[in-house]
Amino acid sequence: STRWIQWIRANASFEYHNATVARIVPDHGQHNTSSLVELTLEPHLQTAAQSGIVLCRIQLFHEGSVQDDWYISAQHTTSDVVRCLMPPVQHAMHAVVEVALNGQQFTSSGVRFAYTPALQSISPDFGPASGGTMLEVQGTGFIESDDQFCRLLNVSHSIDILVPALSSNVSTKAWCLVPSEQRFAPGMVLAVSVTSDLCPDFSYGGSFNASVV
């Protein structure tokens, strides 16, 4: 005998998408504040971005290990941009952010967001051009890590120096030793910032003036 199956006609459809996260902006923020980030998707997914449950997955990493795994609803979507709010964390670390356009399968792009320390002050704020001054940087979110650095910057004199930032189990202090540098000159001002995870531009962090005399 022959069995007849009658299919119901409907306007429903299913589409395959293979999205990736091309970039995240901004790619850093202070650890103790929330940061709204925009994740740009490729290719442009007009249909997928306007339907379904859009989620961000935030994996927190510290010293190479996953510390936590958060799932957060996207605040807003367009055809190629998803906006997510990065929640505050206890100290500096980095996160890997992925997107699910259907609430289930996430991208695997490995896009990173850096949580930075929050700087408040440095002491002393001056020292000799020959170097040797130990700066005490006060703030929050410092960690004991080989990846924590102080950046000494003077754009007009093309000075951009990284030195290790030392810290103990006290998360509110870090120490940086100002090196000897031939380009240092009397009256020169250096902007000091601290990071625990290097980003390509290394332009973030609090900025304070340390006069070199």
Side-chain angles (χ1 to χ4, degrees):
S1 62
T2 303
R3 297 183 60 185
W4 294 91
I5 301 175
Q6 184 175 7
W7 296 93
I8 298 174
R9 297 196 176 195
N11 292 324
S13 64
F14 179 86
E15 296 182 16
Y16 288 101
H17 293 286
N18 188 24
T20 60
V21 179
R23 61 182 177 274
I24 181 171
V25 179
D27 61 1
H28 60 273
Q30 289 188 352
H31 77 97
N32 56 353
T33 60
S34 299
S35 299
L36 183 63
V37 298
E38 289 191 347
L39 299 122
T40 301
L41 305 176
E42 291 182 349
H44 299 304
L45 304 172
Q46 184 70 33
T47 303
Q50 294 181 352
S51 63
I53 300 173
V54 182
L55 297 176
C56 288
R57 184 180 70 191
I58 301 171
Q59 285 187 308
L60 300 177
F61 286 82
H62 178 52
E63 295 183 347
S65 300
V66 177
Q67 298 293 301
D68 213 337
D69 206 352
W70 295 339
Y71 296 85
I72 297 177
S73 297
Q75 287 191 321
H76 174 74
T77 60
T78 65
S79 61
D80 61 348
V81 174
V82 172
R83 292 179 180 174
C84 293
L85 191 65
M86 303 293 293
V89 296
Q90 290 184 340
H91 55 73
M93 62 179 68
H94 81 268
V96 173
V97 186
E98 305 290 356
V99 175
L101 297 176
N102 62 358
Q104 296 183 31
Q105 288 80 31
F106 286 86
T107 57
S108 56
S109 306
V111 173
R112 292 174 25 139
F113 177 89
Y115 284 102
T116 70
L119 274 64
Q120 297 171 348
S121 64
I122 62 170
S123 178
D125 61 359
F126 65 94
S130 58
T133 301
M134 182 67 75
L135 301 179
E136 181 180 279
V137 185
Q138 296 196 23
T140 61
F142 298 120
I143 58 174
E144 290 186 84
S145 172
D146 293 336
D147 295 326
Q148 187 165 257
F149 293 89
C150 282
R151 182 192 195 196
L152 308 177
L153 178 67
N154 185 298
V155 176
S156 61
H157 291 81
S158 300
I159 293 176
D160 194 349
I161 300 172
L162 298 182
V163 295
L166 309 176
S167 59
S168 62
N169 57 356
V170 178
S171 64
T172 57
K173 290 183 180 180
W175 292 268
C176 308
L177 182 64
V178 178
S180 175
E181 170 58 53
Q182 292 182 349
R183 290 171 295 174
F184 287 168
M188 182 179 292
V189 175
L190 302 175
V192 180
S193 58
V194 176
T195 181
S196 61
D197 197 292
L198 291 175
C199 279
D201 61 1
F202 205 102
S203 62
Y204 54 83
S207 181
F208 296 89
N209 293 333
S211 298
V212 180
V213 297

